[in-house]
Amino acid sequence: MMGITNYALDTFAAQEMSKLKHLSIISLADDFPSAHAWLAQLVLSRIFHGHVPDEKAALAFAIVRRTHAALQEWELASAAAKGNLRSVGNYFSILRHVESCISSTWQALEFGRKPMGEVLFTKEGEHNVYKRLNWVYNVSRHFDPQALPQGDLHRTWLSDDAIHTREHLVLFAELRDVIAMLGRISNHVSGLTTTEK
């Protein structure tokens, strides 16, 4: 049986799908082997050490929960990226995991930056990774499928190195770095005393 052609993939499944060769979604599992215990450890640390004051507990849970979700989605995307990239089902599984990863990542950043008064980007400023993450986060959730430009089947799509929109892209390496930074924060907030990166 003949496989689906490049033209058919790009025209009927997802723009630029036929160009995929090797998705650079590199696992973070070895960097955070105790991530599965972040939330339980946070509870235990609060009970026995009181290291998170009561008035900051909800914030700690919000950041750690979103970071844990982002890491889980990243790992699911990484595992799926080792599969057949010409499989329509696999492609959309990866895209969904990356979009969900960005959603949780952005929410964790937002929860963390507000109490510290941090500004991640300015509207007029250069398009740093935070601004582009915010863009992809928003447009993947809020768009009119019927208003997409001709030839676009999706608001976001994948290349070997990034998730794309027509306006901006986020490199997988950039997203991985942001998740890793949030992971280090979650290690600290949860009260883990390991030497994880």
Side-chain angles (χ1 to χ4, degrees):
M1 183 171 148
M2 191 170 106
I4 192 164
T5 66
N6 289 345
Y7 172 80
L9 285 175
D10 296 341
T11 306
F12 301 107
Q15 55 264 43
E16 301 183 20
M17 183 176 167
S18 71
K19 296 179 182 176
L20 294 177
K21 304 291 182 224
H22 176 76
L23 289 174
S24 58
I25 305 175
I26 301 167
S27 173
L28 278 162
D30 289 342
D31 293 334
F32 299 102
S34 299
H36 66 281
W38 280 340
L39 291 161
Q41 184 62 41
L42 175 57
V43 171
L44 291 174
S45 293
R46 289 196 67 233
I47 292 169
F48 294 109
H49 305 294
H51 81 295
V52 175
D54 289 346
E55 65 273 15
K56 298 290 185 186
L59 176 61
F61 274 112
I63 293 170
V64 174
R65 285 182 55 218
R66 269 43 173 218
T67 302
H68 186 245
L71 185 59
Q72 284 184 321
E73 292 295 338
W74 179 260
E75 292 305 308
L76 290 168
S78 178
K82 295 180 174 91
N84 180 3
L85 299 180
R86 293 182 69 84
S87 161
V88 172
N90 192 45
Y91 176 90
F92 288 115
S93 178
I94 297 165
L95 182 60
R96 175 174 51 86
H97 291 312
V98 172
E99 286 177 334
S100 295
C101 175
I102 286 175
S103 178
S104 293
T105 298
W106 182 255
Q107 289 172 25
L109 288 168
E110 271 290 285
F111 285 131
R113 82 155 187 89
K114 284 183 179 177
M116 296 186 298
E118 288 289 319
V119 176
L120 298 176
F121 64 87
T122 61
K123 291 189 180 189
E124 300 78 30
E126 62 184 61
H127 296 289
N128 69 23
V129 65
Y130 300 115
K131 188 170 191 171
R132 290 180 282 113
L133 269 172
N134 176 257
W135 177 266
V136 175
Y137 168 66
N138 282 315
V139 301
S140 67
R141 295 164 53 238
H142 305 294
F143 72 96
D144 179 356
Q146 298 183 98
L148 291 176
Q150 186 172 1
D152 284 7
L153 296 171
H154 311 283
R155 192 62 174 93
T156 62
W157 66 92
L158 304 172
S159 71
D160 282 346
D161 299 315
I163 183 169
H164 295 257
T165 69
R166 278 198 170 259
E167 302 82 3
H168 300 291
L169 63 84
V170 174
L171 294 171
F172 295 135
E174 293 175 317
L175 178 55
R176 187 180 190 275
D177 287 346
V178 174
I179 298 165
M181 178 265 297
L182 290 168
R184 290 189 293 272
I185 291 170
S186 292
N187 270 345
H188 177 73
V189 169
S190 67
L192 284 172
T193 56
T194 67
T195 57
E196 292 181 16
K197 301 174 188 175

